[in-house]
Amino acid sequence: PQQLLCILSINMANAAAKKAAAARQSASSTYLPIVAALNLLYVILIATYKRASLTTFQCIMVVTLVGLSYLSYRGVVDNHANQDFKNNKKSDDALAGGAFLDMLGLVSVVQFGSVLFSDKFYWLLLLIPTVGGWKLYNTVKGGLPGMPNATSAAASSDNKQVSEKDNEKRQKRAERRRRKW
């Protein structure tokens, strides 16, 4: 019996890995051409419009922005696989890709805004660490497992009220089921 359980768990783990790999491949085939085309168009626009006035700072920013777009592409693909693996239902309102998809959009705006309009679009990149700091703050403020926080007392009293309501609903549901049978 123990060996059978081990074999079943290995097969289940392999199935989950195959499903995540398929989701990763699907996301990669969708996003890779888009990201590659955006970066290629960006480099062509830089070579066309800014060739005569290209500074060292702008060269560093080109490399940085292309690197950020690659990083966000990898994040979107991994997040897509993880979200598909965690949620077997496709009815979620949230897009797979999460914050990395937002970062890809921001990087694209900065890329094309800095070429076509002004170098001041580079200032938008400050949103990336700002959003990261905000997410970190919410994680700590929300409380890590085993750590008390300021909102724990208020949340526990709300949980008692919610649990009472849930218990009433569960009891009514159980009564209806008993009546059916």
Side-chain angles (χ1 to χ4, degrees):
Q2 289 288 347
Q3 293 172 343
L4 181 61
L5 287 175
C6 287
I7 292 171
L8 287 175
S9 65
I10 289 172
N11 285 339
M12 290 172 59
N14 286 339
K18 287 178 185 176
K19 186 175 179 181
R24 193 174 278 115
Q25 178 64 30
S26 171
S28 179
S29 66
T30 301
Y31 287 104
L32 182 62
I34 294 169
V35 172
L38 286 173
N39 283 328
L40 184 64
L41 183 61
Y42 173 60
V43 170
I44 289 171
L45 286 174
I46 282 282
T48 304
Y49 290 115
K50 300 255 182 171
R51 184 178 354 160
S53 64
L54 203 60
T55 64
T56 306
F57 173 75
Q58 288 173 336
C59 291
I60 291 171
M61 290 309 294
V62 167
V63 171
T64 302
L65 289 172
V66 170
L68 280 173
S69 68
Y70 177 75
L71 176 70
S72 58
Y73 159 74
R74 294 302 311 163
V76 166
V77 169
D78 289 342
N79 193 297
H80 187 82
N82 291 337
Q83 184 169 353
D84 191 42
F85 174 68
K86 289 178 186 173
N87 303 330
N88 290 331
K89 25 182 182 170
K90 300 285 182 185
S91 64
D92 286 337
D93 290 337
L95 286 175
F100 289 103
L101 194 57
D102 296 340
M103 187 169 82
L104 182 60
L106 177 67
V107 168
S108 296
V109 166
V110 171
Q111 283 177 334
F112 293 107
S114 65
V115 172
L116 299 175
F117 300 110
S118 170
D119 284 345
K120 293 184 180 182
F121 271 83
Y122 292 133
W123 287 100
L124 287 174
L125 291 177
L126 291 176
L127 288 174
I128 295 172
T130 305
V131 169
W134 177 252
K135 288 186 179 236
L136 181 64
Y137 170 74
N138 282 336
T139 300
V140 172
K141 180 184 170 197
L144 298 173
M147 291 183 64
N149 59 11
T151 60
S152 294
S156 65
S157 66
D158 290 342
N159 286 340
K160 288 179 185 176
Q161 292 174 351
V162 170
S163 64
E164 290 174 8
K165 290 179 184 178
D166 286 342
N167 284 336
E168 290 175 15
K169 288 180 184 178
R170 287 183 189 125
Q171 288 174 357
K172 289 179 183 178
R173 206 175 309 133
E175 288 176 23
R176 279 185 258 145
R177 287 183 190 143
R178 279 189 226 123
R179 288 181 201 155
K180 276 186 177 180
W181 299 104

